[in-house]
Amino acid sequence: MESARKKLKISDRNEDQNVNASQDNSGSSDLDALAKSLLEIEDKQCDALLQLDYGQNICYVYNPLDYAREIHKDFLAKFCKGPKKVLLLGMNPGPWGMGQTGVPFGHVQYAKEWLCLKGNVTKPKKEHPKRLITGLECTRSEVSGDRLWSLLKELSGKPETLFTNVFLHNYCPLFFLKDSAKNVTPPELKVKERSDLEKICNVALVDTVKLLGVEHLVCVGNYVAEKSKLALGGAGLENIKISTLMHPSPVNPAANKGWREIAMKQLTESGVIQYLKAQE
C-alpha cells in the first residue's frame, strides 16, 4: 500500500526549506530576538511533524505556518515582543480559523479588524477541494475562535492590553483531514501516530514555555491540559501553574449552554483574568 507520506507529498524537504527561507527574508527584520526564536522552535516542530507517517486514513496535512507564514509573522512581530506570564494554549488549528490565518484560534474577522494583521497566503502542497485556503478573504466563521476572541476583546479592550502579559499558541501547529474532508484532531489519531506526534509537540511546548518565561499555562480543553502536565512535569517545570479553560467548540454540548459564563468563572478562579484586563 502507498504510504501516507507519499500520499501527502511531504518528503521533498528542500522545497519547503527554500519557500520558508524566501518568505523569512521578506520580513525577518521586523521580528525581535524573542519572536525569531519562537519561530525557530515552531519551524523545527513542523519539520519533525511533517516527517511522520499518519497512516492511510489521513490524506491531507495542512501546515498554516508555511502557507500563511506572512500573517503568522505579522502576528509575532506585533504581539510577541517580550516575556509572557500567561500562555493560552489551544490544541491545533481548525480549517476556518488558524487554518486560514496562521494565528491560534485565528477567526478571520478578529485577525483583520481587531488584531489588524496583514499578509498573503499561498496554498498547501495538497489541498482538499472542500477546504480551500483563502486566508484573510475567507468568509467562513469558526465558532471556537469567535467565542474566544470575543471574550478576550471584551475583557482587554485592545490587543496591546491583552498581549502585555498573554500570548496565544497551539500544542500542535498542523491539522489533518480524511479524504472526505473530515477534520481529525490529534487525540483522534491512532495510538502510534498520536504518540509520535505528542513526543515532538511536548518538546516544542517545553522550549516555548522556557523561551517566553511563562508562569501560568491556560490549556483550552482537557486533552491539552493532560499533555501539558506530562510535558512540563517531565521537564522538571513543576513551578508553572496549569489550569484548564473549557473548549469553546460547538461540538462540546456544555459550551453551547453558556461558554462565556463558564469561561469567566474559570479565568477568575485561576487568577488569570487579572492579566486580561487593563491595569487600573
Side-chain angles (χ1 to χ4, degrees):
M1 295 179 68
E2 181 185 30
S3 72
R5 185 173 298 169
K6 288 181 180 178
K7 285 167 60 180
L8 296 168
K9 300 179 182 178
I10 58 176
S11 60
D12 185 358
R13 304 306 306 153
N14 289 334
E15 181 179 342
D16 283 344
Q17 291 166 358
N18 289 339
V19 169
N20 286 346
S22 64
Q23 289 174 331
D24 282 345
N25 289 338
S26 68
S28 59
S29 60
D30 296 330
L31 299 180
D32 68 11
L34 187 73
K36 286 181 181 178
S37 295
L38 179 55
L39 189 60
E40 289 173 1
I41 292 172
E42 293 174 329
D43 284 343
K44 182 179 179 181
Q45 180 185 13
C46 288
D47 188 70
L49 289 171
L50 289 171
Q51 299 294 335
L52 299 181
D53 188 331
Y54 293 100
Q56 296 298 316
N57 289 332
I58 303 300
C59 299
Y60 298 82
V61 174
Y62 281 49
N63 178 12
L65 301 192
D66 178 19
Y67 60 77
R69 195 171 184 84
E70 286 189 13
I71 307 174
H72 181 70
K73 288 180 66 178
D74 195 30
F75 176 66
L76 295 181
K78 284 184 168 73
F79 303 119
C80 188
K81 294 183 176 180
K84 306 293 181 181
K85 293 183 178 180
V86 177
L87 186 64
L88 193 60
L89 187 69
M91 180 169 58
N92 76 312
W96 310 117
M98 183 175 176
Q100 298 291 332
T101 65
V103 178
F105 293 95
H107 188 280
V108 173
Q109 179 182 349
Y110 287 95
K112 286 196 300 186
E113 298 179 8
W114 196 53
L115 301 181
C116 298
L117 298 178
K118 297 179 181 179
N120 297 315
V121 298
T122 57
K123 290 287 186 178
K125 280 192 172 182
K126 186 179 179 184
E127 184 178 39
H128 197 291
K130 293 182 180 179
R131 296 293 182 267
L132 300 178
I133 299 302
T134 56
L136 296 175
E137 301 304 314
C138 179
T139 58
R140 292 284 296 266
S141 175
E142 184 177 82
V143 175
S144 296
D146 188 26
R147 288 173 173 171
L148 181 65
W149 284 106
S150 175
L151 180 59
L152 295 178
K153 182 179 179 181
E154 175 188 338
L155 292 172
S156 301
K158 55 185 180 179
E160 293 76 15
T161 297
L162 172 65
F163 290 103
T164 298
N165 293 300
V166 178
F167 198 66
L168 280 77
H169 194 64
N170 267 336
Y171 177 70
C172 173
L174 310 181
F175 73 95
F176 311 92
L177 300 175
K178 291 186 176 182
D179 192 50
S180 63
K182 183 184 184 299
N183 187 44
V184 180
T185 62
E188 294 173 327
L189 294 170
K190 292 183 178 180
V191 175
K192 173 63 167 60
E193 288 78 10
R194 184 173 71 244
S195 176
D196 291 342
L197 175 145
E198 289 169 354
K199 289 176 184 177
I200 295 168
C201 292
N202 286 352
V203 171
L205 175 59
V206 169
D207 289 344
T208 298
V209 165
K210 289 180 177 179
L211 174 69
L212 298 180
V214 174
E215 299 175 7
H216 195 139
L217 191 62
V218 180
C219 302
V220 183
N222 294 326
Y223 171 79
V224 173
E226 176 188 343
K227 299 308 166 185
S228 296
K229 290 174 183 177
L230 289 173
L232 299 190
L237 301 178
E238 305 288 352
N239 59 324
I240 296 174
K241 185 175 181 181
I242 300 176
S243 59
T244 303
L245 181 66
M246 177 187 283
H247 201 292
S249 171
V251 176
N252 179 3
N256 296 326
K257 297 179 181 179
W259 178 83
R260 180 194 174 281
E261 290 70 25
I262 295 171
M264 285 290 292
K265 184 174 184 293
Q266 291 177 323
L267 292 171
T268 301
E269 290 176 348
S270 67
V272 170
I273 200 165
Q274 65 177 310
Y275 298 112
L276 304 178
K277 297 181 176 181
Q279 298 298 314
E280 298 180 356

